[in-house]
Amino acid sequence: MKFNVASTLSYEVSEPAVFILNVEAAALRNQKILSENLELSPPVALDRHVLDGGTRLVRAVVEPGTFTVAYGATVALEMHDADPASVRETPVAELPLEVVPFLNPSRYCQSDKLARFAHREFGELAPGHQRVTAICNWIYEHVDYLSGSSDAETSASDTMVQRAGVCRDFAHLGISFCRALAIPARFASCYAWQLDPPDFHAVFECYLDGSWYLFDPTRKAALQGLVRIGVGRDAADAAFCTIHGGAQMTGMEVAISAAEEVGEGEPTVRAVGIA
Amino acid sequence: MKFNVASTLSYEVSEPAVFILNVEAAALRNQKILSENLELSPPVALDRHVLDGGTRLVRAVVEPGTFTVAYGATVALEMHDADPASVRETPVAELPLEVVPFLNPSRYCQSDKLARFAHREFGELAPGHQRVTAICNWIYEHVDYLSGSSDAETSASDTMVQRAGVCRDFAHLGISFCRALAIPARFASCYAWQLDPPDFHAVFECYLDGSWYLFDPTRKAALQGLVRIGVGRDAADAAFCTIHGGAQMTGMEVAISAAEEVGEGEPTVRAVGIA
Amino acid sequence: MKFNVASTLSYEVSEPAVFILNVEAAALRNQKILSENLELSPPVALDRHVLDGGTRLVRAVVEPGTFTVAYGATVALEMHDADPASVRETPVAELPLEVVPFLNPSRYCQSDKLARFAHREFGELAPGHQRVTAICNWIYEHVDYLSGSSDAETSASDTMVQRAGVCRDFAHLGISFCRALAIPARFASCYAWQLDPPDFHAVFECYLDGSWYLFDPTRKAALQGLVRIGVGRDAADAAFCTIHGGAQMTGMEVAISAAEEVGEGEPTVRAVGIA
Amino acid sequence: MKFNVASTLSYEVSEPAVFILNVEAAALRNQKILSENLELSPPVALDRHVLDGGTRLVRAVVEPGTFTVAYGATVALEMHDADPASVRETPVAELPLEVVPFLNPSRYCQSDKLARFAHREFGELAPGHQRVTAICNWIYEHVDYLSGSSDAETSASDTMVQRAGVCRDFAHLGISFCRALAIPARFASCYAWQLDPPDFHAVFECYLDGSWYLFDPTRKAALQGLVRIGVGRDAADAAFCTIHGGAQMTGMEVAISAAEEVGEGEPTVRAVGIA
């Protein structure tokens, strides 16, 4: 599947500012960037770095005035479907050790505090992809998706109490429950096909049966149409823009469309593996 | 400086358990392991992995019964002293981008929540190594070091309210304040020369002027005698042992001694750089 | 029903200390104190006060040395049974206004934070005594009763995340959910008949249909055998002893026995009203 | 001193709603209501109750449509000035026992969590009115007054971390520190003379030397011009309007003016006692 993605971010810079941007499609084995273009206006020199997980950081030092970041790319996703019933959990004894840090709690995913709940609610379920689906179903059924109900400080344990949030909060809860059950889980920001209205989206990935699999407890986007941008411990690792200095965002546009006809299928009953 | 370090951990295993151990000296450029020995009893097959930061993980699958982990090593530290007044902060515009994730908040270091305080208290101080020393002094003067006053869930924002903690809590506060001020900071567990009584210790490191520098707001150990074990975002990344399965720790011994005569100096007025 | 209750508290006082004690049976309309005795040793002058809710405070200024508080009483409870199905909720429009403050959140009962959950989980249930029973059942089924799992700082929102606690935590959750649903609720410490092992106990009361009714989500004691001691917003209002000065508790004994043969009945299917 | 106070609250009621209003000047010994008028439009039957602390509750059951509450009063304050240096703290051994509950932690004032800080920072200061002034000064100097920086869930321990808030947050911190030091403290909402722009205000009161004294750590209003409305444990006890049912506030106006010429004085160096 090929997708065209685009985003435009506009800022009013009041004093010299360092922008650390993360809007480009991540460098992942099964996410091929066929073409892309990043245009800063006014143009400024860039520093670039790809983090170990594939997240691509761009740094720009910007002088006062209007500043616009426009990104566009065509990306081919080579995801594989699997029968969820066949995707087992990988026992800790068999996990690649580089995946083990994704069992640790993080800023927004206090898997330690939520461990008793996770074990009580999901501990007796049969291990495997379907257990993570049960976790996603629980979140969907027990948390209200409500714009404005959370903010940049809201963590999974807050959401557990308040029972409302947006996509990042849903992902943080899912990650927390999985880690508590010894399932490695990480956060992914993305361009999300069919998300309405268009916006940056957040989902999570679990390491199951030798691959990372995608999960979206909000049920708002199609799993086969997720072009990932930032992949990390949680939202702290995947901000689309961090500014050191004086600047205000004045506009944001996000778009994604299929670059070819989309095949039919049964996406909702398939496990979508990504790496 | 050369040091002999040793630790012995004893467990009673009640059901098959996976141990993920992090007791070996980290693989760091300026921390040379001259000799080392890891002995598990009963002996079991090991998996090994070195995380990107140099933390060395060992995994062992252990059957019920008594289980003992004994580690010993001779390590040469090649730290460099610098005049603190000469160690500047590296502006975000000049930071190596791989260091940028150490500006992000983490499980125990909510630098986002503590940002206003950090800016109010330390924001006007001259940037540089001496500003981080001022942060350490503040922690030392405003937080009681008190065994048993915190637990595995205690984070920097908790410590900010409760004003008591142990070495890991002191480190978490220091890391949080530094990140809030755009100084990259990371956590390090270590064998700590002169720590009394001997135990695993926790300190933090800041990226300043092109190197990582060591800081210990507890003032309990000598900076030149810190043999680092786990280096990461915070204590979540540096547990000396994580167990999946049924086991109880029954004993722990930690030791460190100078393997050669220690040179005199003025350690408390010098900045100790480590990488 | 008549009960004999007794408690003995022993302290080692290291410097002059003010004790504020709350061990005497509360002064409540339907809880008649037939006889009682409070013996302090060494004897000290007392100040007494009965708070508006009926909680009886005793203040003693104690010199260094051993200090013992021994209380004993025979108390007649005049509780009434009702058919739970007949006990309706009192609409806010009809509540006595002096009861309205028991709708407010308090230190350990953040009914504001837990409001969305309470409405999602219990909001659609038919109002009345049986809805509060459903709340108690939920707590019993979703929270582990586990000594040592909470401390004096643990609040209902903590318990919601951690899913473990003791009697006071169970009561705090129940109070929080009820207040969120506009059901006035208050905390009661008590001597609890049939509690095993004997100890001070904590339950909660709801204002329903013109009376206060008792609820114990721990299911550890018989509702008809609760001799209440402190009645208030939450545990902050019902400490059996608060000490200003230097003293350590060295012993505590609590006892309760039926002073007459206990009538048979169906206590578990009856609503027990208390005022 | 006499003041004219007024407030007008406007609501759009979408479904039958119960309003519990607390806008009338409190019934306090030294706050004489010379005349007052409460006008509901459309007119509805009222229930009234005066809580033990003097807070006056009004309940109205309102049908859908526009609903307006207009209150006006002329109030004489009979406050007494004292030399702050002469106002001692009342030892716990001498406190009227009915005041003791104002030492307990409450929803927004976790004096238990903040106790170590309070003792470290203020514990060595000489007891008395001037110690509470030192507490107010600390708050003024260490917390930013910033509209929109807190919300209805923000408590004193949150403010301790975040270092920003509005008048209620400032009061909650002051109350918490005082209670931790065994100084009874309570919250008061009020009409505040000279507050700019006019609004409901929040301050706190401490029981010192036999009387309640007023403190305003925001320094935004004149202590002699505070017409108190709700007096209680914290803001949870002093909401100007609580609605059960469907209604939205559409407007609010608050006013206060001196009803006679105001005498000159040295208010900032005087302790203002109120009861």
Side-chain angles (χ1 to χ4, degrees), chain D residues 239-259:
Chain D
F240 62 80
C241 181
T242 307
I243 302 170
H244 296 265
Q248 287 292 321
M249 188 160 77
T250 55
M252 179 172 86
E253 285 178 44
V254 177
I256 178 170
S257 59

PDB file of all heavy atoms in Angstrom, chain D residues 239-259:
ATOM      1  N   ALA D 239     -17.983  26.589  47.137  1.00  0.00           N
ATOM      2  CA  ALA D 239     -18.357  26.878  45.742  1.00  0.00           C
ATOM      3  C   ALA D 239     -19.504  27.868  45.733  1.00  0.00           C
ATOM      4  O   ALA D 239     -20.458  27.709  46.489  1.00  0.00           O
ATOM      5  CB  ALA D 239     -18.772  25.588  45.049  1.00  0.00           C
ATOM      6  N   PHE D 240     -19.446  28.891  44.882  1.00  0.00           N
ATOM      7  CA  PHE D 240     -20.556  29.856  44.877  1.00  0.00           C
ATOM      8  C   PHE D 240     -21.807  29.260  44.247  1.00  0.00           C
ATOM      9  O   PHE D 240     -22.910  29.687  44.518  1.00  0.00           O
ATOM     10  CB  PHE D 240     -20.145  31.191  44.244  1.00  0.00           C
ATOM     11  CG  PHE D 240     -19.739  31.128  42.801  1.00  0.00           C
ATOM     12  CD1 PHE D 240     -20.694  31.090  41.797  1.00  0.00           C
ATOM     13  CD2 PHE D 240     -18.396  31.128  42.456  1.00  0.00           C
ATOM     14  CE1 PHE D 240     -20.309  31.046  40.462  1.00  0.00           C
ATOM     15  CE2 PHE D 240     -18.006  31.074  41.121  1.00  0.00           C
ATOM     16  CZ  PHE D 240     -18.965  31.027  40.118  1.00  0.00           C
ATOM     17  N   CYS D 241     -21.625  28.227  43.433  1.00  0.00           N
ATOM     18  CA  CYS D 241     -22.792  27.578  42.846  1.00  0.00           C
ATOM     19  C   CYS D 241     -22.464  26.147  42.445  1.00  0.00           C
ATOM     20  O   CYS D 241     -21.476  25.907  41.756  1.00  0.00           O
ATOM     21  CB  CYS D 241     -23.267  28.356  41.615  1.00  0.00           C
ATOM     22  SG  CYS D 241     -24.735  27.636  40.857  1.00  0.00           S
ATOM     23  N   THR D 242     -23.279  25.220  42.921  1.00  0.00           N
ATOM     24  CA  THR D 242     -23.169  23.825  42.499  1.00  0.00           C
ATOM     25  C   THR D 242     -24.492  23.454  41.845  1.00  0.00           C
ATOM     26  O   THR D 242     -25.549  23.725  42.412  1.00  0.00           O
ATOM     27  CB  THR D 242     -22.907  22.909  43.705  1.00  0.00           C
ATOM     28  OG1 THR D 242     -21.784  23.401  44.427  1.00  0.00           O
ATOM     29  CG2 THR D 242     -22.637  21.488  43.253  1.00  0.00           C
ATOM     30  N   ILE D 243     -24.387  22.854  40.670  1.00  0.00           N
ATOM     31  CA  ILE D 243     -25.606  22.553  39.911  1.00  0.00           C
ATOM     32  C   ILE D 243     -25.771  21.050  39.742  1.00  0.00           C
ATOM     33  O   ILE D 243     -24.846  20.369  39.316  1.00  0.00           O
ATOM     34  CB  ILE D 243     -25.542  23.215  38.517  1.00  0.00           C
ATOM     35  CG1 ILE D 243     -25.351  24.727  38.657  1.00  0.00           C
ATOM     36  CG2 ILE D 243     -26.784  22.879  37.699  1.00  0.00           C
ATOM     37  CD1 ILE D 243     -25.038  25.430  37.348  1.00  0.00           C
ATOM     38  N   HIS D 244     -26.905  20.534  40.101  1.00  0.00           N
ATOM     39  CA  HIS D 244     -27.253  19.142  39.801  1.00  0.00           C
ATOM     40  C   HIS D 244     -28.333  19.197  38.733  1.00  0.00           C
ATOM     41  O   HIS D 244     -29.478  19.564  39.022  1.00  0.00           O
ATOM     42  CB  HIS D 244     -27.754  18.431  41.052  1.00  0.00           C
ATOM     43  CG  HIS D 244     -26.708  18.307  42.118  1.00  0.00           C
ATOM     44  ND1 HIS D 244     -25.915  17.191  42.268  1.00  0.00           N
ATOM     45  CD2 HIS D 244     -26.296  19.187  43.058  1.00  0.00           C
ATOM     46  CE1 HIS D 244     -25.069  17.379  43.268  1.00  0.00           C
ATOM     47  NE2 HIS D 244     -25.280  18.580  43.776  1.00  0.00           N
ATOM     48  N   GLY D 245     -27.971  18.857  37.547  1.00  0.00           N
ATOM     49  CA  GLY D 245     -28.905  18.945  36.427  1.00  0.00           C
ATOM     50  C   GLY D 245     -28.225  19.641  35.274  1.00  0.00           C
ATOM     51  O   GLY D 245     -27.000  19.738  35.244  1.00  0.00           O
ATOM     52  N   GLY D 246     -28.997  20.146  34.341  1.00  0.00           N
ATOM     53  CA  GLY D 246     -28.405  20.704  33.133  1.00  0.00           C
ATOM     54  C   GLY D 246     -28.470  22.211  33.081  1.00  0.00           C
ATOM     55  O   GLY D 246     -29.546  22.785  32.919  1.00  0.00           O
ATOM     56  N   ALA D 247     -27.331  22.854  33.234  1.00  0.00           N
ATOM     57  CA  ALA D 247     -27.298  24.317  33.150  1.00  0.00           C
ATOM     58  C   ALA D 247     -25.890  24.779  32.834  1.00  0.00           C
ATOM     59  O   ALA D 247     -24.914  24.136  33.218  1.00  0.00           O
ATOM     60  CB  ALA D 247     -27.770  24.949  34.458  1.00  0.00           C
ATOM     61  N   GLN D 248     -25.793  25.878  32.140  1.00  0.00           N
ATOM     62  CA  GLN D 248     -24.513  26.491  31.814  1.00  0.00           C
ATOM     63  C   GLN D 248     -24.503  27.924  32.307  1.00  0.00           C
ATOM     64  O   GLN D 248     -25.476  28.648  32.111  1.00  0.00           O
ATOM     65  CB  GLN D 248     -24.288  26.516  30.297  1.00  0.00           C
ATOM     66  CG  GLN D 248     -23.972  25.164  29.698  1.00  0.00           C
ATOM     67  CD  GLN D 248     -22.618  24.650  30.138  1.00  0.00           C
ATOM     68  OE1 GLN D 248     -21.674  25.413  30.249  1.00  0.00           O
ATOM     69  NE2 GLN D 248     -22.529  23.356  30.422  1.00  0.00           N
ATOM     70  N   MET D 249     -23.410  28.348  32.915  1.00  0.00           N
ATOM     71  CA  MET D 249     -23.299  29.738  33.312  1.00  0.00           C
ATOM     72  C   MET D 249     -23.091  30.583  32.065  1.00  0.00           C
ATOM     73  O   MET D 249     -22.290  30.246  31.194  1.00  0.00           O
ATOM     74  CB  MET D 249     -22.148  29.952  34.277  1.00  0.00           C
ATOM     75  CG  MET D 249     -22.144  31.369  34.856  1.00  0.00           C
ATOM     76  SD  MET D 249     -21.194  31.525  36.392  1.00  0.00           S
ATOM     77  CE  MET D 249     -19.543  31.526  35.705  1.00  0.00           C
ATOM     78  N   THR D 250     -23.803  31.668  31.974  1.00  0.00           N
ATOM     79  CA  THR D 250     -23.683  32.537  30.801  1.00  0.00           C
ATOM     80  C   THR D 250     -23.145  33.914  31.177  1.00  0.00           C
ATOM     81  O   THR D 250     -22.799  34.700  30.295  1.00  0.00           O
ATOM     82  CB  THR D 250     -25.045  32.701  30.107  1.00  0.00           C
ATOM     83  OG1 THR D 250     -25.993  33.171  31.084  1.00  0.00           O
ATOM     84  CG2 THR D 250     -25.522  31.386  29.529  1.00  0.00           C
ATOM     85  N   GLY D 251     -23.083  34.203  32.473  1.00  0.00           N
ATOM     86  CA  GLY D 251     -22.543  35.507  32.845  1.00  0.00           C
ATOM     87  C   GLY D 251     -22.325  35.602  34.338  1.00  0.00           C
ATOM     88  O   GLY D 251     -22.971  34.892  35.127  1.00  0.00           O
ATOM     89  N   MET D 252     -21.380  36.417  34.739  1.00  0.00           N
ATOM     90  CA  MET D 252     -21.117  36.630  36.165  1.00  0.00           C
ATOM     91  C   MET D 252     -20.592  38.042  36.370  1.00  0.00           C
ATOM     92  O   MET D 252     -19.688  38.479  35.658  1.00  0.00           O
ATOM     93  CB  MET D 252     -20.082  35.628  36.665  1.00  0.00           C
ATOM     94  CG  MET D 252     -19.758  35.809  38.136  1.00  0.00           C
ATOM     95  SD  MET D 252     -18.710  34.482  38.806  1.00  0.00           S
ATOM     96  CE  MET D 252     -17.087  35.101  38.380  1.00  0.00           C
ATOM     97  N   GLU D 253     -21.166  38.740  37.311  1.00  0.00           N
ATOM     98  CA  GLU D 253     -20.665  40.060  37.696  1.00  0.00           C
ATOM     99  C   GLU D 253     -20.542  40.120  39.193  1.00  0.00           C
ATOM    100  O   GLU D 253     -21.432  39.681  39.927  1.00  0.00           O
ATOM    101  CB  GLU D 253     -21.614  41.158  37.229  1.00  0.00           C
ATOM    102  CG  GLU D 253     -21.538  41.432  35.743  1.00  0.00           C
ATOM    103  CD  GLU D 253     -22.533  42.507  35.339  1.00  0.00           C
ATOM    104  OE1 GLU D 253     -22.627  43.521  36.066  1.00  0.00           O
ATOM    105  OE2 GLU D 253     -23.210  42.312  34.323  1.00  0.00           O
ATOM    106  N   VAL D 254     -19.453  40.670  39.661  1.00  0.00           N
ATOM    107  CA  VAL D 254     -19.202  40.781  41.086  1.00  0.00           C
ATOM    108  C   VAL D 254     -18.773  42.220  41.369  1.00  0.00           C
ATOM    109  O   VAL D 254     -17.982  42.785  40.604  1.00  0.00           O
ATOM    110  CB  VAL D 254     -18.085  39.805  41.534  1.00  0.00           C
ATOM    111  CG1 VAL D 254     -17.769  39.965  43.011  1.00  0.00           C
ATOM    112  CG2 VAL D 254     -18.479  38.369  41.220  1.00  0.00           C
ATOM    113  N   ALA D 255     -19.291  42.801  42.447  1.00  0.00           N
ATOM    114  CA  ALA D 255     -18.928  44.186  42.765  1.00  0.00           C
ATOM    115  C   ALA D 255     -18.848  44.384  44.269  1.00  0.00           C
ATOM    116  O   ALA D 255     -19.540  43.711  45.045  1.00  0.00           O
ATOM    117  CB  ALA D 255     -19.947  45.140  42.166  1.00  0.00           C
ATOM    118  N   ILE D 256     -17.987  45.293  44.671  1.00  0.00           N
ATOM    119  CA  ILE D 256     -17.913  45.693  46.072  1.00  0.00           C
ATOM    120  C   ILE D 256     -17.420  47.125  46.112  1.00  0.00           C
ATOM    121  O   ILE D 256     -16.532  47.514  45.341  1.00  0.00           O
ATOM    122  CB  ILE D 256     -16.993  44.765  46.902  1.00  0.00           C
ATOM    123  CG1 ILE D 256     -16.908  45.236  48.355  1.00  0.00           C
ATOM    124  CG2 ILE D 256     -15.630  44.627  46.286  1.00  0.00           C
ATOM    125  CD1 ILE D 256     -16.211  44.244  49.292  1.00  0.00           C
ATOM    126  N   SER D 257     -18.029  47.908  46.991  1.00  0.00           N
ATOM    127  CA  SER D 257     -17.564  49.291  47.162  1.00  0.00           C
ATOM    128  C   SER D 257     -17.708  49.661  48.635  1.00  0.00           C
ATOM    129  O   SER D 257     -18.504  49.064  49.366  1.00  0.00           O
ATOM    130  CB  SER D 257     -18.390  50.240  46.302  1.00  0.00           C
ATOM    131  OG  SER D 257     -19.756  50.144  46.673  1.00  0.00           O
ATOM    132  N   ALA D 258     -16.910  50.610  49.048  1.00  0.00           N
ATOM    133  CA  ALA D 258     -17.003  51.077  50.431  1.00  0.00           C
ATOM    134  C   ALA D 258     -18.288  51.883  50.571  1.00  0.00           C
ATOM    135  O   ALA D 258     -18.601  52.726  49.733  1.00  0.00           O
ATOM    136  CB  ALA D 258     -15.785  51.924  50.774  1.00  0.00           C
ATOM    137  N   ALA D 259     -19.042  51.598  51.629  1.00  0.00           N
ATOM    138  CA  ALA D 259     -20.306  52.293  51.834  1.00  0.00           C
ATOM    139  C   ALA D 259     -20.108  53.542  52.666  1.00  0.00           C
ATOM    140  O   ALA D 259     -21.036  54.274  52.937  1.00  0.00           O
ATOM    141  CB  ALA D 259     -21.302  51.357  52.526  1.00  0.00           C
TER     142      ALA D 259
END
